[in-house]
Amino acid sequence: MLGGVLGPMLAQGVIARRPRMTALAQRRHLDDRADAILRRMRERYGAGPLRLRVPGRSVALLLDPDDVHRVLRDSPEPFAADTREKRGALGHFQPHGVLVSHGAVREERRRFAEAVLDTGHPVHRLAGTIGVTAREEAARCADLARVTGTLDWPAFAAAWRPMVRRIVLGDAAREDREVSDLLTALRGRANWSYLATRRPDRLRRLRRRLGAYVDAAEPGSLAGLVAAVPAPDRADRVDQIPQWLFAFDPAGMATFRALALLVAHPDVLARVPGDDGTLLRGAVLESVRLWPTTAVVLRDTTAPTRWGGATLPAGTALGVVSSFFHRDPATVPGADRFDPDRWSDGRADDGRTLLPFSAGPVVCPGRELVLLVAAEFLRALLGRATPALTDGPLDAARPLPHGLDPFGLRFAVPPDRPGDGRG
Ligand code: HEM
């Protein structure tokens, strides 16, 4: 049971995706099986927290939307976000990140992150510059794809990553692959959590480089805001940046999958030219609903907790397996279909079952920024190129698969398109 549910998630890489394991999981339908196991468990044992036998750790999975609501609402106290597993993993590259903080210092770090990321505002205060950057890099990506005739993950990432460095660190960082490589190397170790030895030398190098961008404070970049937004020393402003850079990686995968969804659904694709951003944001939200980039939202109980008839000991890890809720036919009509409008017409608003960015006080503070960037990128890409899926398991007439390996997606891109030069 434990292996069937958590095994595929761990194997695919929690902090940095492992391409070969992700492809294997898709071929063997391991993600579908994990959800099916949880549904069988809920039928057999009821919707109360499902206690798992894990040596040395009290672990329970939440299977009831009301329990999910309670835990996310009452975070980070008494349901702490800085779980033992996260501290082990993020300690490799971001020991003072908000995600691994608790108590008063968490509040300071969270306040700082929200202030820079403009959490809760659909249009970030730097939306003008950010939009220009996203459109420029997407246009380069589209033009190159029209020359080579294909668009695959390496070609997409080759545009997405420089765009992310420009948005987060400034235009001067566009070619700074070293900063990304340093972070990637540290994240690779983070997949192994406490099992991998720490590399304080690399962490120091990463901090020095990020600190230099904050000192330069390029106007229009998040680094510029980091320099300008006041925060107490212990908020450790520079240490918040690695997560922003790192979280944009799965955001790229979600955007690439959204492109596949759009292309596989011509009726939706036809509405993109007249869209004000609502449809494209909905497409990206559907991408993260169907294939969540955070497979399990985790909390640790900080005190013994009464639940139904039982008491969970302090230090119990509580897990919310997102896809189990996102694809539950009992609560999500058309769970296996692409339906971007559900995010704008109120159907996705119950705050209990559709939680790709989580919810409550620990909700992803980058949500609005990611949706803005992804929508701008997709609009510009589709304005200049007409990609068609050549490979990949998407068929609009059939239920969408539970796993979609972005590394295996491939689009054919013809050299010309009607209305060439627009975008
Ligand atoms: C597809 C893209 C993304 C998705 C689906 C996503 C989703 C999530 C989720 C589910 C969490 C955990 C929340 C919890 O434990 O309840 C989280 C945390 C967080 N995310 Fe995102 N995220 C994305 C991209 C980003 C980006 C690009 C940024 C920054 C620019 C960002 C910043 C953060 C931060 C700082 C946290 C920690 C919040 C805290 O502990 O208080 N995320 N995100």
Side-chain angles (χ1 to χ4, degrees), residues 63-85:
L63 303 180
D64 184 331
D66 287 336
D67 288 346
V68 173
H69 178 68
R70 168 183 170 191
V71 166
L72 297 183
R73 183 198 60 201
D74 296 345
S75 300
E77 191 64 52
F79 303 116
D82 62 320
T83 65
R84 206 193 293 177
E85 290 72 19

Side-chain angles (χ1 to χ4, degrees), residues 28-157:
R28 300 258 170 97
H29 302 285
L30 297 183
D31 296 304
D32 310 41
R33 279 189 216 156
D35 289 344
I37 291 172
L38 287 180
R39 261 180 257 299
R40 275 205 305 278
M41 292 289 156
R42 186 172 61 181
E43 277 160 28
R44 197 175 302 164
Y45 301 112
L50 179 67
R51 304 285 302 272
L52 302 181
R53 250 190 281 271
V54 180
R57 189 89 162 102
S58 165
V59 178
L61 296 182
L62 304 182
L63 303 180
D64 184 331
D66 287 336
D67 288 346
V68 173
H69 178 68
R70 168 183 170 191
V71 166
L72 297 183
R73 183 198 60 201
D74 296 345
S75 300
E77 191 64 52
F79 303 116
D82 62 320
T83 65
R84 206 193 293 177
E85 290 72 19
K86 284 186 219 166
R87 286 199 304 271
L90 268 72
H92 285 275
F93 63 92
Q94 190 183 29
H96 303 146
V98 59
L99 193 62
V100 287
S101 309
H102 193 70
V105 72
R106 155 174 265 281
E107 277 173 36
E108 286 162 5
R109 290 173 182 164
R110 174 80 197 192
R111 212 174 301 126
F112 172 72
E114 289 191 2
V116 173
L117 301 175
D118 262 358
T119 308
H121 301 279
V123 182
H124 193 280
R125 81 196 90 155
L126 300 180
T129 323
I130 290 172
V132 169
T133 304
R135 288 194 294 274
E136 279 177 9
E137 298 298 343
R140 277 197 194 103
C141 180
D143 292 349
L144 190 63
R146 284 164 47 179
V147 172
T148 61
T150 84
L151 177 61
D152 57 8
W153 172 253
F156 182 90

Side-chain angles (χ1 to χ4, degrees), residues 13 24 55 118 167 181 186 193-194 197-198 207 212 263-265 301 317 326 336 339 415:
L24 183 72
D118 262 358
I167 291 173
D181 291 348
L186 289 164
S193 190
Y194 290 108
T197 49
R198 298 282 159 99
R207 274 190 71 100
V263 166
H265 294 80
T301 57
H326 294 180
D336 293 329
D339 183 359

Side-chain angles (χ1 to χ4, degrees), residues 303-317:
T305 308
R306 291 288 300 163
W307 219 305
T311 299
L312 299 174
T316 296

Side-chain angles (χ1 to χ4, degrees), residues 99 106 110 243-244 247 251 293-294 299 356-358 362 364-365 370:
L99 193 62
R106 155 174 265 281
R110 174 80 197 192
Q243 185 173 359
W244 308 343
T293 52
T294 307
R299 296 288 184 271
F357 287 91
S358 188
V362 184
C364 173
V370 174

Side-chain angles (χ1 to χ4, degrees), residues 164-165 168-169 179 183 210 241-249:
V164 170
R165 287 193 295 265
V168 178
L169 303 174
V179 77
L183 185 55
L210 296 177
I241 301 176
Q243 185 173 359
W244 308 343
L245 285 170
F246 130 63
F248 261 118
D249 245 20

